[in-house]
Amino acid sequence: MHGPRDTFGSHSSGIGGGGFARSAVPARFGTRRVPVAPASSPPAPSPPADWRQSAHPLARRWLATCLRIERAAARWLHVHDLAQDIGSRRWLHGAATCATLAAAALALWPSFAPLQAAPLQPLDDGMAQEFAAQGIRPLAQGGGNGRHFAATARVVHLAAAPERPSITMTGTLGENDSLARMLQRSGLAPGDAAQVSGLIARALPPDQLAPGTRFQMTLGAHASPLDPRPLETLSVRARFDLAIDIVRAGGGLALRQRAIPVDTAPVRLTGIVGSSLYRSARAAGASPQAVQDYLRTIDTVLPFEDIAPTDEFDLVVSYKRAADGQGQMGDLLYAGVRRGGQPRAQLLRWGSQGEFMSPEAMKGTMGGASSSLLAAPVEGHITSGFGWRRHPILGYVRMHAGIDFGAAWGAPIHAVSDGTVTFAGWHGGHGEYVRLDHGGGIGTGYGHMSRIAVAPGSHVVRGQVIGYVGSTGLSTGPHLHYELYRGGQVVDPASIGQIVRTQRVDPAQLAAYRTRLQAFLALRPGLSR
């Protein structure tokens, strides 16, 4: 037990450094440090460090009150080590003091529950309706809110809205579409649509109307609200040199044809190859079809790898120019490549078959026109080579007179070079089979097709689709059996990479060829004339 004054609040107690009413021993932790002057010099007079040490009556009275509180606290509050004298009266007193302080601390434990803030402004029914009227809700969610103005006396209700006396519209003929269906979709009555189809068929077969043809139509007023509008006029450019007008006259529709004067002349396009031959030719004004024909033709005599970016491309196409200013690009007539002003390749469309011939082939110095074969007629991998092998179905060893390419069912099969179809149909163990004659004693065969895309006697060009991969005949799965013939005998397809076609040209044809070639080379490049 501590004394009321000399021990409570001293450095041996656990309740801080100084006493309740005044300072304790200086230089202790938690007590006020008062600087001490050196002993050699007399202390300088200074005001009291604490107002409780002054001689004021209120200070003395406050000091006496503090002393009484300290004595009472020292009597009831015991600081005892609970690890000593366990079970004694002092220990029980100290334990009760600790429990009381702990209970007081728990009673004063703060609460961390969220506080709900009051609304900024209370909303009554009128304000809630106003906010709902001014709110925005997506139409997809049925939004029909917002302010609406009610009709006044100035608004006149109409029993029926007046209709336009005529409507002008444009209809476009789609792919695999019929003229009558297109006209009915545009709003024509079935009778008018059938009559228009019959009138146009008189001037032009329906299958000659190209997809994308646009029809300008004018529809008249309704006879009754439930009846379709009658056709008044229809105009269409059915062909590049033919325009058709259909007008209503005398209660019926009448056909009027207008022939459009067309001037056909060759047009020459040249330019630098650059980084892309296709894009350079398109930038010069060539149509996509003309560029594809040019690339296909040049590839027969000059590999693309041998064409430098500094080379010049040169092509001549037929060009139709109508009297109304419209133009249409036609077939490729000449394809050439120049380097340093000297021709590297010159191919002119010549003959009734429309094949491209070079000057060397016409003169006979190259023995005819030559073209390289495609590396493979189908996109796939080689599963069986040329030579002796054990047949997978028959079970014995025999000659495999070709190369098998494994490919997906229905993959397109391409002709390896220009030629003529000499056979197309079922061919025993080959199944669906196509035979091509490329000239110069060279022929190719394609077997096990699922479907044939050419007919006997037709002419094919290099890269043209002639059929599709299948597994017909003696076959264990979808693949292409590819054969190559030289002089009627099968040879290894890998042994021939180029076909030479020998042709005999009389002097008159050679002179005509040279005249036509010089006329094309004398043309001024460009579409404008």
Side-chain angles (χ1 to χ4, degrees):
M1 176 87 51
H2 295 283
R5 211 39 213 153
D6 53 346
T7 59
F8 185 80
S10 65
H11 65 277
S12 62
S13 66
I15 313 178
F20 184 78
R22 53 185 175 180
S23 300
V25 182
R28 293 290 184 181
F29 177 78
T31 62
R32 182 173 300 177
R33 297 177 182 271
V34 179
V36 180
S40 57
S41 59
S46 60
D50 195 346
W51 64 274
R52 293 172 295 182
Q53 299 178 4
S54 65
H56 196 277
L58 292 178
R60 292 180 179 275
R61 190 174 299 173
W62 172 257
L63 181 58
T65 303
C66 290
L67 290 176
R68 286 193 300 270
I69 296 174
E70 288 180 4
R71 291 190 187 99
R75 187 181 303 114
W76 295 101
L77 297 178
H78 293 272
V79 181
H80 180 71
D81 188 0
L82 298 180
Q84 297 178 2
D85 301 334
I86 300 176
S88 63
R89 182 179 180 182
R90 293 182 58 192
W91 184 89
L92 293 175
H93 198 172
T97 303
C98 181
T100 303
L101 294 176
L106 293 176
L108 299 176
W109 186 271
S111 176
F112 294 99
L115 299 178
Q116 184 176 2
L120 296 179
Q121 183 179 1
L123 299 179
D124 54 11
D125 295 340
M127 297 180 65
Q129 294 179 3
E130 183 67 20
F131 278 121
Q134 296 183 6
I136 298 176
R137 179 184 297 175
L139 295 177
Q141 299 180 5
N145 52 352
R147 288 190 173 275
H148 301 275
F149 291 96
T152 63
R154 296 178 179 271
V155 178
V156 179
H157 295 277
L158 299 178
E163 67 174 13
R164 298 169 58 184
S166 63
I167 295 178
T168 302
M169 60 178 57
T170 301
T172 303
L173 185 64
E175 191 78 27
N176 299 323
D177 197 2
S178 68
L179 179 59
R181 288 197 300 266
M182 186 275 296
L183 294 175
Q184 292 184 30
R185 288 197 308 269
S186 300
L188 269 71
D192 287 348
Q195 190 175 359
V196 170
S197 300
L199 292 175
I200 294 180
R202 297 179 187 176
L204 186 73
D207 55 354
Q208 293 188 12
L209 286 173
T213 303
R214 301 171 67 87
F215 293 76
Q216 304 292 334
M217 294 172 284
T218 301
L219 305 182
H222 288 283
S224 65
L226 299 180
D227 293 338
R229 291 175 177 268
L231 177 66
E232 296 293 338
T233 61
L234 183 144
S235 299
V236 58
R237 186 160 188 165
R239 207 169 48 217
F240 188 73
D241 57 349
L242 176 64
I244 296 176
D245 297 328
I246 296 178
V247 297
R248 184 171 295 276
L253 298 176
L255 174 68
R256 299 176 183 176
Q257 302 184 41
R258 291 184 292 109
I260 302 176
V262 175
D263 178 22
T264 303
V267 173
R268 185 183 182 189
L269 302 173
T270 62
I272 304 299
V273 172
S275 59
S276 172
L277 178 55
Y278 180 87
R279 288 196 294 266
S280 299
R282 289 284 289 126
S287 64
Q289 184 61 41
V291 177
Q292 293 178 7
D293 294 342
Y294 172 81
L295 297 177
R296 188 183 300 111
T297 302
I298 290 296
D299 187 46
T300 59
V301 296
L302 186 64
F304 292 135
E305 294 78 7
D306 295 344
I307 301 178
T310 56
D311 291 347
E312 298 180 47
F313 63 88
D314 191 358
L315 66 152
V316 177
V317 294
S318 62
Y319 191 80
K320 297 179 181 179
R321 183 177 285 103
D324 57 359
Q326 297 190 21
Q328 185 180 60
M329 195 165 291
D331 297 333
L332 178 69
L333 303 178
Y334 168 78
V337 177
R338 297 194 306 270
R339 175 175 295 178
Q342 300 299 323
R344 295 198 61 204
Q346 289 182 320
L347 295 171
L348 181 66
R349 187 184 292 272
W350 190 258
S352 59
Q353 297 291 338
E355 297 182 353
F356 285 88
M357 302 291 294
S358 65
E360 293 80 7
M362 292 296 296
K363 291 185 295 186
T365 57
M366 293 181 58
S370 63
S371 63
S372 59
L373 300 178
L374 290 177
V378 68
E379 183 177 356
H381 58 283
I382 296 178
T383 58
S384 181
F386 180 86
W388 293 92
R389 67 161 190 178
R390 180 177 297 275
H391 197 278
I393 296 180
L394 301 179
Y396 57 86
V397 178
R398 74 173 189 174
M399 184 65 179
H400 184 230
I403 295 177
D404 289 345
F405 290 89
W409 186 286
I413 301 171
H414 306 273
V416 296
S417 184
D418 298 350
T420 304
V421 180
T422 59
F423 181 87
W426 188 266
H427 193 260
H430 288 150
E432 296 292 346
Y433 180 79
V434 171
R435 179 80 175 267
L436 302 180
D437 182 13
H438 303 285
I442 302 299
T444 54
Y446 311 82
H448 305 304
M449 293 184 178
S450 63
R451 184 161 59 94
I452 297 175
V454 292
S458 60
H459 181 77
V460 297
V461 297
R462 181 176 183 265
Q464 179 178 337
V465 176
I466 59 175
Y468 301 90
V469 171
S471 186
T472 55
L474 293 178
S475 171
T476 58
H479 72 286
L480 170 67
H481 176 76
Y482 171 56
E483 298 176 338
L484 194 144
Y485 299 87
R486 175 187 286 170
Q489 301 295 325
V490 291
V491 295
D492 186 358
S495 64
I496 296 179
Q498 196 173 41
I499 298 177
V500 179
R501 303 181 181 88
T502 304
Q503 297 182 0
R504 295 181 178 273
V505 182
D506 59 13
Q509 287 191 356
L510 180 59
Y513 178 91
R514 290 176 177 176
T515 301
R516 184 176 178 85
L517 178 61
Q518 293 300 323
F520 285 165
L521 297 180
L523 292 175
R524 182 178 178 180
L527 289 176
S528 60
R529 297 172 53 197

